[in-house]
Each structure stands twice: as C-alpha cells, then as structure tokens.
Amino acid sequence: MKKTMLFLAVFLLTITFSVSGQKAAIDKAAPDFTLTDSKGETHSLSDFKGKYVVLEWINYDCPFVEKHYDAGNMQKLQETYTGKDIVWLSICSSVDGKQGNFTPEEINKRSEAHGAKFTAYLMDTDGKVGKMYAAKTTPHMYVVNPEGTLVYAGAIDDKASTDKADIKDAKNYVAAALDAAMAGKEIKEKVTKPYGCSVKY
Amino acid sequence: MKNILFLLIISSALLSQSVRTDHVTAELVSEFNTIKPGVPFTVALRLEMDEHWHTYWRNAGDSGIPTTIEWNLPPGFEAGNIHWQFPQKIVVEGLSNFAYEEEVFLLVNITPPDIISASEITLNAKADWLVCKIECLPGGADLSLTLPVSDRINEASKWFDDINRTRSLLPIANAPWTVSAEVEEESVTLFLTSEKNEVAYPGDITFFPYTGGIFDNASQQEVSRNENTIRIKLPLEAFRSSEPDTIRGILVSDTGWRGDDSEKAFEISIIPGEQAPISENQNSESLLLILGFAFIGGLILNLMPCVLPVLSLKIMGFVEQANSGKREIYHHGLSFTAGVLVSFWVLAGVLLLLQSGGQKLGWGFQLQEPIFLLVLIILLFLFSLNLFGVFEIGSSLTRLGGGSSKSSGLTGSFISGVTATIVATPCTAPFMGSALGYTLTQPALITMTVFTALALGMASPYLLLSIFPKWLKIIPKPGNWMIAFKQFMGFLLAATIIWLLWVLSAIKGSDGLLLTLMLLLFSSIAAWIYGTWGNISVSTTKRRIATVISLVILLLPGYYLGSTIEQIDFSQSSTSENSSDWENYSNEKVQQYLSEGIPVFIDFTATWCLTCQVNKKVALHNDEVESAFKDAGIKTIIADWTKRDDEITDALASFGRNSVPLYVLYSGKKGEKPVILPEVLTPEIVIDYINQL
C-alpha cells in the first residue's frame, strides 16, 4: 500500500513538472494550468475542454487596459462571447508588490465597477502561467479551441494606442479569430504583435 | 540701432514654451535662431524624463508605443519623418524595451518655402508618447516654436550642439562591413565581414530590429568572432507575427563601426539567403558575377528608348570622323568613354554622399529634381537646333566640310558621353536592377567598381569601333547626305525632349509645362540670333554683339522662368489619371491587405522611367491582364517614385533595390515570400505569374 502511494506521488509529481515546464506554441496543445480566482475558486484550463477559451492578460492600472475597460470594449466582447458559450479567463500575472497585484476584495470591487463579464479573474501571483504563455503585455490575448489547441496569440486589435477613440476603427483580432473558428473557417491572423504595458513579473 | 532691434526680436521670439507633464518635460527646439527662406533646418522634439522613466524608440520592443509627432505647419513648410537616435535596451523581468532615459532629441528636418512674407513663423506640433518606469502613463503636449525670418546666415542656437551630437547618434547607411543573414528554425544569424580584416573594434554589438513581433527581444544575442567574421545569433520570437523575410534594423556597437569613437549605429536591410555566409572567396566570385551583369546591363542600356536618341549625337560624330585619321578616331572614342565613366562616377558619388547624409535617394534621383530636368531639356533642345542647322558652334562648320578640329571635337565627344549617361540612368535595363540593388548594401569602393563596369559596358561599342576603325569603312564618303542624316537625328532628339517635358509636367503640372515651353521659345530665338549673326561669315564686332545678345536672351528668361517653375507647388498626384483599379501605395495599406490574406501586386514606377511606361501600357493596363488580376482577387497597387518619396525608397530597399521598375507579387499566404517579376513584361508573363498563385 505504501509502495503504491509512493508510486502515485512520484507519478503525479512527474506529470506536474512536465506540464509546468511546457511552453505555449501556436497550433500546439495549450499547456494546462490551475489557478485560483478572485472569488476563491480554482480553475484548470483542462476543465473547459470542449469549449472555446479566451485568455486575457489583465492589469487594471495599465493605461492600455483602462482604454478597453473605460470604453466598455472589453466588457462588450466578454458579454458577446460568453453569451455564445465561450469561457473567458482574465489572468493577472502582476507579482506580489508590483502594479496591478490587488487583494481579491479590491479585484471584485473594480471588476464590479467596470461591469466586467469574464467567467473568472485568475490570480497568477508568481507569474508562472504568464511565463508559460510568454505573456508580454496587458492586454495580451489568447484563444484556445475546444480540442485544447492554441489558435490565436497576440494583440486585442490593430491600433496600438491608449486612445479610446481608436477602438471604433480598429480591427479586433480576438473577435475575428473566434468568429472564423466557430464558423469552421481558417483564422487569418494567428499571431500578432501584442501591445500594451509590460506584464509586471 | 537696427541690429539691436533685430537682436531684441530674436531674443523675444525665440522662446519656445516647454511643457511639463507627468514625468516628462517636452519642448520644440531648433538648431538655428532664425529661419532663412528656402534653407532646410532641423527641429527637435526634446523630451526630458524623470529619473528611471523612459519613452520609446521607433520600435518600442516587448511593450510600450513609439513617440509620435503630428505637425501643423504654415503653408509651404514641410516636415520630414523623425530621425531616431539609437535607443538603449531596458530589460525588466524578462521583458525588453527599446527606449530613451533622461533626455532625448527626436530630429525632424523642416523645409521652409523659398519665399516667406511673414516676419516670424510659428511651428506647431502635437507630440504623443508613453512614459514608463515600471508602470506606464500616456502623455502628450501641444508644442509650438516661433522663430523670426531672416535672410542672414543662420545663427546657431543654444541647442545647436545638442542637435549636432544627436546627429552623430543616428544610424549610418554605409560602413566598411559586409552583412549577410541566414535563417534557421528558431533564430537568425547575421554575418558581418570586415573589409579591413578587423573584427576587434566594434566592441559589444546589439541588434535593434525596426519591426516588432519577430525577434525575441529579451533573450541574449550571442556574438562570436573569428578571423574576419562576426556572427550574431538573434533568437526568434516563439509567437511571431511574421517570418524574417527582410531583416531591417540597426546594429549598435559600443565603440563605433569605423574605428574607435566613430558612429555607433549602422543601419542594415538584408534579405536572408539560405547559402552559407560569404567568405572572402565567394565574395569576390559573386562580385565578379555582379560586375559581369553590370557590364552587360550597360551594353543593353544603349538600346533603351531613352538613350537611343541621344546616342544619335555619337553616331553623328562617328559618321563625321569616319574619314579622319585612325589616331583621331581613337582619341574620340577615349573621350566619349571618359565622359561616360566620369559622369557615372559623379552620379554614383553624389548618390553615396547624399545617402550617407541620411537622404533617401535611389538611382535616377536627378530626374526627381525639376531644375535639373529643365536644364537638360534646354540643353537637348539646343543640341537638336544645332543638328537642324539653326546655329553652329565654333569651328564645327569647317569640321563638316571635311577638315577637323581636335580640341573642340574631343570636348564634344566627352559631352555626348556625359549626356548619354544622364539620360540613360532612368532606363534601368534588365540585369541592372539587381546590380544596382547589390551596391546598396556594399561599401563605397565596391559600389564604384560596379558603376565602373556599368559605364564600360555602355561605352564599349564605341570604344571598340574607335579601336577598330576599319569597321567604319562601310560608311560612305561625306557629302550632302550627311546634312540630311544630321537633321534626321535632330528629330530623334526632339522625341527625347517630348519625353522629358512629359516628366516635368508630371512634377510641376501644366503651368510648369507652359513656362518651360516659353523658355524653349526664348532659347530658340537666342540660337537663331547666334546662328544668323554670330557665325564666322560675319565681322568680329557684330559677332560679339550677337553672342552677348543671344546669351542674354537665353539666360535672363532662363533665370526668371526657371525659378518660377521651381516654386510651383504641384501636389496633385501624378497617378490620379490611373483607373480606380489601381490604388496608390502606402506600406500600411499593403500590410493591411496581406494581414487579411489578400494577394497584392505592386508596380514600382516613375514617369521618367520609360521601361516602366512601356510595361504599363503593354502589359499592365491591358484588359486581359486587368481582368486576370480581378479574377484572382489581387489588389493592384501603384508606387509612383516620380517625385522623391522616402516611403517608396524604403520599400525598394527592402527588396534590395534602389531603382525602378520593380514588380512584386504577394500571394497573401502567411509566411510566403513575394515573387519579383522580370523588369520587362509582356501580358503573357504577368498572366503566367498570376496563374501560379
């Protein structure tokens, strides 16, 4: 019995390590992770197999994130696509003591004030998941398809600025990727250069 | 008293308002205290950042956005793009930025109009930036700078030294290094070969790409050196938005690219090849090949429609000399060759000089200058009048009669060599595109060698004829037929003039064309006066008076009309005549289409490029071809280089070219390299390429 337990422990550890050592790559299986959200629940990417998942790197104090939340653009996207049974995970990789690293209470207060419509706000306080996905900026957006393959990585849209007025003429890459994928079409831009503040690792 | 007043005006007006925003103080500063009409000067956006805060370079790196300047200038003033001094690499927790700390001067060249009626001028600009320490703040300011207008020599302002120092931090286009690149799975290796076998001095080297999203900015760039080559391994971004088809950016050395304390930033633009790095041997081999191409290209130039009429002058000369002594014919051949060589050298030298001064120019640049065109038109017009017999120069009468004059004849041969070269440049013959493009990335010495080969190629038929004058024996004895032949050649020359007038009208509009034609009228009157009363059958006094009068009639209107033409502001795009199927070029537009997966065809052209015009009429604006483009869903774009255009010069450089025509077809598929079509097109060729998509 003891032996079996030991074997199981080693087996599990190996799996954990092999998973956390993985790096995300386009058109490859998106590496799994488990994080706690601001409400205290834990979520794993693998929980959502069979559904499209959007990963949004977030930092409420970054002017580029403010642009999209103050204009209501991000909430509108979240509402539209969660309405189509898509899972939306906002991930904050600001490590302890850095900008954007808030207490769960503060997060919930701000999210409510913004009227955010994400599925969950995940706290990646040691930056591991961010580095696994090579998240560079806030926002930095990813789309995972129902098979668990990473199909989009990059900017939210094609107008790199902090000016809200740019949103209406911008081409939204995330919406384009989701619409194309859900219609069974090829995603034209799978990788774009993200823009924003640096992730505060 | 007047001087004191003047000084007072300067000191009161010069003050520019510096604007203090969060963590940044911004102001516009000029290198001079005054503006002199018509004389370009440099203005800088000066940003002073709080300690540890930074603003961004043209490629911000992993995060951030570049500073932008939007100008609002008085009529007639023009502002160029920002000249960026090289940035520093700021790495925070595995993310890397290309940015400026403390203080930076972003330089912009301002060109004032030739005539300014106001006594002072205010330049307005809206600057926007992102300033970051770890957290970021977007910032911006409306800035203005008021300077008095003065005809005096520009006086250095207190910012002159700072702006000058910043100039030394701008990337140089040429350095004694040959650069090539090789793409591997997850990295690109740059190979830098020193022409002086000296790899020690550039010290530490960092590459800063112009385009973001391709290279992994934060990872270490591995630098290794052996005998005469430095290798720099640049890791690629795992998530990259495009493949490294063309590598553009700057290499920054901590000691300098031309020895200690020389320029530290060196601009490169290379298309990676799969082949191994160029070793010494291969280098000379490919150089030989290029020289061969250049020679053949020069030879073919003789047959191009823009040179042929001018060469009629030369052919005329041969006919005249057919019966002179062997030695003399040989000397004429040499003078002509010298004329071709010297003018190629001068053109190439001026081009190199202007390029190293940061000007974005390419082959054929002289025809983008209206004054140059004007002088050329008048010169050729006078030549043709001369051929028609309206006037004779010096002793040419006797020469026609069978005698010969050595010195003036030799000068004539030299000048016809010069003229042929100048008119030939815009006709980039096949073979020449790649040879000229090759020189872009090469040091000055190799560039000059390539041009020498080109010149020799062009002059070779005449040189050979003059060495073997026996071949001229088939030409009949001089007689009356020669006068008719000469006049016929005059018509060919007139055809060249029509072409040049058309080019001028594309730059300066119908007003410019009208004034030029008036100028030609004056020139012909001057030629007629000189021809009637200035020839040797008239008494010396009369002859002198006639010469003076004809010079006055030629030069006075020439000066006034010429400067009026120069000032015509004709901004209407010469491509507006094109059908709506052809859009005007902008890099942004092309990238937009490509990002949407739409195939794109780009026609790099210019009014003064005859090859381009023939291709356009024959192969591009052809119903069959246009419908083939439409059926294949290809967006057709025209990049018109008739006037100077930095964006198009950059685009040409990205294909390793500095001349037109260039035809590029993008399939629109991700990661697929564009196809370059031949320089001479037929409808079948174009349709073939379209079908291959």
Side-chain angles (χ1 to χ4, degrees):
Chain A
M1 185 64 196
K2 243 185 177 176
K3 251 189 178 173
T4 331
M5 285 294 280
L6 192 71
F7 173 74
L8 256 178
V10 169
F11 181 66
L12 281 175
L13 266 175
T14 322
I15 288 181
T16 321
F17 270 112
S18 64
V19 166
S20 63
Q22 260 180 335
K23 285 266 179 208
I26 202 75
D27 287 336
K28 299 274 159 61
D32 197 14
F33 56 82
T34 304
L35 289 172
T36 308
D37 74 12
S38 58
K39 306 260 164 71
E41 286 176 44
T42 55
H43 301 273
S44 295
L45 182 63
S46 50
D47 297 346
F48 304 111
K49 259 223 161 119
K51 287 183 179 182
Y52 281 98
V53 181
V54 174
L55 306 179
E56 172 210 344
W57 258 263
I58 191 171
N59 168 0
Y60 277 140
D61 273 352
C62 160
F64 292 88
V65 173
E66 283 170 356
K67 166 189 171 187
H68 291 284
Y69 274 96
D70 289 352
N73 183 47
M74 197 66 89
Q75 299 91 313
K76 208 177 84 198
L77 278 175
Q78 292 165 345
E79 189 171 19
T80 308
Y81 290 101
T82 50
K84 294 181 181 174
D85 204 24
I86 282 172
V87 174
W88 189 294
L89 302 176
S90 300
I91 303 175
C92 180
S93 295
S94 297
V95 301
D96 292 331
K98 292 272 179 75
Q99 186 200 50
N101 180 292
F102 303 117
T103 59
E105 295 72 43
E106 178 72 15
I107 293 168
N108 293 336
K109 205 178 92 194
R110 286 182 180 232
S111 302
E112 201 162 316
H114 278 306
K117 299 283 193 303
F118 45 66
T119 312
Y121 181 115
L122 306 179
M123 299 178 299
D124 177 33
T125 47
D126 55 7
K128 263 188 191 147
V129 177
K131 284 179 178 161
M132 191 192 279
Y133 278 81
K136 290 194 161 59
T137 59
T138 50
H140 195 164
M141 311 296 296
Y142 299 82
V143 175
V144 180
N145 74 6
E147 289 77 43
T149 307
L150 184 62
V151 292
Y152 176 77
I156 176 158
D157 62 31
D158 64 350
K159 290 265 190 310
S161 79
T162 53
D163 189 352
K164 291 193 229 17
D166 284 338
I167 293 176
K168 82 177 151 43
D169 296 324
K171 179 184 175 189
N172 193 297
Y173 291 127
V174 179
L178 284 169
D179 292 344
M182 292 196 301
K185 288 183 193 151
E186 199 189 338
I187 297 173
K188 275 179 186 149
E189 273 127 336
K190 291 184 170 178
V191 179
T192 59
K193 181 187 187 301
Y195 71 87
C197 312
S198 59
V199 175
K200 312 303 178 198
Y201 291 121
Chain B
M1 186 60 209
K2 228 179 159 187
N3 274 332
I4 294 174
L5 201 70
F6 181 71
L7 281 176
L8 276 177
I9 293 171
I10 288 188
S11 48
S12 62
L14 212 149
L15 286 174
S16 90
Q17 230 42 39
S18 75
V19 176
R20 172 79 197 156
T21 65
D22 285 339
H23 307 295
V24 179
T25 304
E27 78 182 300
L28 282 182
V29 298
S30 168
E31 60 176 333
F32 298 127
N33 281 333
T34 52
I35 294 177
K36 191 175 176 184
V39 178
F41 59 102
T42 301
V43 166
L45 167 63
R46 175 178 169 270
L47 297 177
E48 194 184 328
M49 279 69 74
D50 288 353
E51 209 182 345
H52 302 308
W53 288 78
H54 55 260
T55 55
Y56 294 90
W57 186 55
R58 53 182 288 179
N59 168 17
D62 288 332
S63 61
I65 37 177
T67 301
T68 56
I69 307 174
E70 205 174 294
W71 291 96
N72 180 9
L73 300 175
F77 279 72
E78 277 176 31
N81 294 329
I82 299 177
H83 293 282
W84 304 83
Q85 67 174 70
F86 68 82
Q88 66 183 102
K89 192 170 180 169
I90 299 169
V91 183
V92 180
E93 298 292 345
L95 293 176
S96 179
N97 287 118
F98 307 144
Y100 304 111
E101 283 184 336
E102 293 173 11
E103 183 187 37
V104 66
F105 292 81
L106 302 178
L107 307 186
V108 174
N109 289 334
I110 305 279
T111 310
D114 291 337
I115 295 171
I116 305 174
S117 49
S119 63
E120 58 174 44
I121 285 293
T122 301
L123 309 171
N124 292 303
K126 185 179 186 308
D128 283 295
W129 59 80
L130 184 75
V131 61
C132 301
K133 184 178 164 189
I134 290 184
E135 53 278 26
C136 300
L137 276 173
D142 290 311
L143 302 168
S144 71
L145 171 63
T146 303
L147 294 170
V149 177
S150 162
D151 274 329
R152 290 155 187 259
I153 291 172
N154 275 323
E155 175 196 331
S157 77
K158 65 167 176 167
W159 299 107
F160 185 82
D161 289 339
D162 287 301
I163 289 176
N164 232 1
R165 182 179 43 78
T166 306
R167 281 197 189 103
S168 70
L169 304 176
L170 300 179
I172 52 171
N174 286 298
W177 291 84
T178 309
V179 187
S180 63
E182 206 182 325
V183 179
E184 288 116 60
E185 188 98 324
E186 289 304 323
S187 68
V188 169
T189 305
L190 297 179
F191 298 89
L192 283 80
T193 312
S194 163
E195 270 128 38
K196 296 176 179 162
N197 276 334
E198 174 69 84
V199 294
Y201 68 73
D204 284 338
I205 302 169
T206 314
F207 175 68
F208 294 91
Y210 280 163
T211 314
I214 299 175
F215 294 97
D216 182 349
N217 300 318
S219 294
Q220 189 69 32
Q221 301 180 350
E222 285 170 42
V223 179
S224 61
R225 294 156 204 259
N226 63 13
E227 289 159 28
N228 61 350
T229 305
I230 301 176
R231 289 157 197 262
I232 307 166
K233 193 169 177 184
L234 309 168
L236 287 171
E237 174 67 59
F239 289 112
R240 49 185 176 270
S241 41
S242 64
E243 293 302 316
D245 296 336
T246 307
I247 297 159
R248 299 190 63 227
I250 58 171
L251 286 162
V252 175
S253 137
D254 68 348
T255 55
W257 289 102
R258 303 198 296 182
D260 277 343
D261 283 332
S262 63
E263 296 89 344
K264 293 187 169 59
F266 169 28
E267 185 172 50
I268 60 167
S269 171
I270 33 177
I271 296 167
E274 279 89 19
Q275 80 274 34
I278 303 167
S279 78
E280 204 81 323
N281 258 335
Q282 279 168 316
N283 197 359
S284 57
E285 212 170 273
S286 63
L287 180 64
L288 267 182
L289 196 70
I290 290 287
L291 289 180
F293 275 141
F295 187 86
I296 297 171
L299 198 62
I300 294 176
L301 260 186
N302 283 306
L303 298 176
M304 297 316 273
C306 45
V307 201
L308 209 50
V310 177
L311 286 175
S312 61
L313 290 174
K314 186 62 220 149
I315 294 166
M316 202 54 231
F318 269 114
V319 170
E320 286 176 11
Q321 296 148 15
N323 294 291
S324 348
K326 210 174 162 181
R327 243 187 117 66
E328 203 175 316
I329 294 177
Y330 178 59
H331 282 150
H332 277 286
L334 281 186
S335 313
F336 177 78
T337 309
V340 174
L341 263 176
V342 167
S343 39
F344 263 104
W345 285 339
V346 169
L347 277 175
V350 170
L351 185 62
L352 283 177
L353 216 67
L354 292 176
Q355 275 180 344
S356 66
Q359 302 259 34
K360 300 214 163 142
L361 297 170
W363 197 233
F365 68 94
Q366 74 272 29
L367 291 184
Q368 295 172 330
E369 284 304 318
I371 282 301
F372 186 90
L373 264 176
L374 204 59
V375 173
L376 192 63
I377 288 171
I378 293 170
L379 216 63
L380 289 179
F381 184 59
L382 290 176
F383 269 144
S384 72
L385 290 181
N386 177 250
L387 289 177
F388 289 137
V390 174
F391 71 102
E392 304 287 347
I393 295 171
S395 54
S396 47
L397 257 186
T398 48
R399 196 155 46 117
L400 249 190
S404 60
S405 145
K406 274 183 194 158
S407 58
S408 82
L410 289 183
T411 319
S413 287
F414 185 84
I415 289 174
S416 59
V418 173
T419 321
T421 308
I422 289 171
V423 187
T425 44
C427 279
T428 313
F431 296 120
M432 264 181 60
S434 52
L436 288 178
Y438 173 78
T439 63
L440 255 186
T441 52
Q442 298 302 311
L445 188 70
I446 295 191
T447 307
M448 286 316 232
T449 317
V450 171
F451 278 106
T452 307
L454 202 60
L456 288 177
M458 186 167 150
S460 60
Y462 312 95
L463 195 60
L464 281 177
L465 272 182
S466 62
I467 295 173
F468 304 105
K470 271 186 195 156
W471 300 346
L472 286 170
K473 278 280 149 64
I474 42 161
I475 296 173
K477 288 249 179 294
N480 274 341
W481 71 269
M482 270 180 58
I483 296 173
F485 183 68
K486 203 170 150 179
Q487 285 164 351
F488 173 70
M489 289 301 181
F491 288 113
L492 286 188
L493 213 50
T496 310
I497 296 168
I498 292 176
W499 162 54
L500 290 173
L501 284 171
W502 180 55
V503 173
L504 188 90
S505 73
I507 302 179
K508 289 294 183 186
S510 54
D511 288 352
L513 186 64
L514 180 68
L515 291 175
T516 311
L517 290 172
M518 280 162 68
L519 205 50
L520 290 186
L521 179 66
F522 281 112
S523 311
S524 60
I525 295 172
W528 169 70
I529 290 176
Y530 180 77
T532 314
W533 291 285
N535 65 54
I536 45 167
S537 61
V538 183
S539 75
T540 326
T541 340
K542 266 192 181 176
R543 209 161 71 201
R544 286 204 181 126
I545 294 171
T547 311
V548 170
I549 291 177
S550 61
L551 275 179
V552 168
I553 292 180
L554 179 68
L555 296 179
L556 220 58
Y559 177 75
Y560 280 108
L561 292 177
S563 53
T564 315
I565 293 170
E566 172 77 10
Q567 278 159 27
I568 293 177
D569 183 22
F570 179 70
S571 50
Q572 186 198 334
S573 162
S574 56
T575 51
S576 57
E577 49 171 293
N578 286 303
S579 57
S580 55
D581 289 345
W582 291 81
E583 296 173 54
N584 284 330
Y585 178 85
S586 84
N587 185 29
E588 205 179 320
K589 195 184 292 173
V590 173
Q591 295 311 325
Q592 168 87 30
Y593 285 138
L594 293 181
S595 66
E596 287 165 20
I598 298 170
V600 173
F601 177 83
I602 310 174
D603 170 14
F604 289 93
T605 182
T607 309
W608 40 260
C609 161
L610 270 193
T611 321
C612 308
Q613 297 308 324
V614 174
N615 284 337
K616 177 173 149 188
K617 288 277 173 295
V618 173
L620 295 177
H621 291 222
N622 163 301
D623 290 343
E624 212 180 322
V625 173
E626 281 190 335
S627 65
F629 275 133
K630 215 173 249 162
D631 294 344
I634 299 171
K635 290 279 178 194
T636 47
I637 289 178
I638 193 157
D640 190 325
W641 205 40
T642 306
K643 287 193 257 187
R644 279 189 59 181
D645 186 317
D646 289 358
E647 196 181 6
I648 295 177
T649 312
D650 280 344
L652 284 168
S654 72
F655 294 103
R657 297 294 178 94
N658 59 356
S659 58
V660 286
L662 174 67
Y663 304 101
V664 180
L665 183 60
Y666 285 94
S667 69
K669 287 173 201 140
K670 264 261 137 77
E672 210 163 277
K673 283 185 190 170
V675 187
I676 292 178
L677 277 63
E679 277 93 352
V680 174
L681 298 176
T682 64
E684 291 72 36
I685 294 178
V686 182
I687 289 169
D688 263 4
Y689 274 94
I690 295 173
N691 290 339
Q692 277 167 26
L693 273 195

